[in-house]
Amino acid sequence: MKNLLLLTFLLLAGLTGQAQQTGLAALLRRENVPGIQLIHTKSGKSTVYNLGLRKAGSTAAVDARTVFQAA
């Protein structure tokens, strides 16, 4: 999980917009993570990323109302 967070941070730091979402989606597939919700804030501006599925095997996408169980 630490590797996933580190890779996500590095990806967000170097890419913008659609490239970030494409890179994050590829990272999710590679790490077998069904979905993720990230909020990146820089200089007072926040960008929200909702990617993937709420639960493995489902068709429900992650959205602003998705609540993940913390480990």
Side-chain angles (χ1 to χ4, degrees):
M1 184 56 109
K2 287 182 183 180
N3 289 339
L4 178 61
L5 293 174
L6 177 60
L7 290 171
T8 301
F9 173 77
L10 293 173
L11 186 61
L12 287 172
L15 300 174
T16 59
Q18 186 62 38
Q20 287 176 333
Q21 291 188 8
T22 301
L24 285 173
L27 179 61
L28 292 178
R29 284 189 301 277
R30 187 172 66 239
E31 298 294 328
N32 295 317
V33 175
I36 193 169
Q37 185 176 64
L38 297 171
I39 300 173
H40 177 254
T41 303
K42 183 175 181 181
S43 301
K45 181 181 175 191
S46 295
T47 305
V48 178
Y49 299 93
N50 296 305
L51 298 168
L53 302 174
R54 291 180 184 193
K55 183 178 177 181
S58 76
T59 58
V62 175
D63 62 21
R65 296 174 296 174
T66 301
V67 177
F68 289 102
Q69 179 180 355

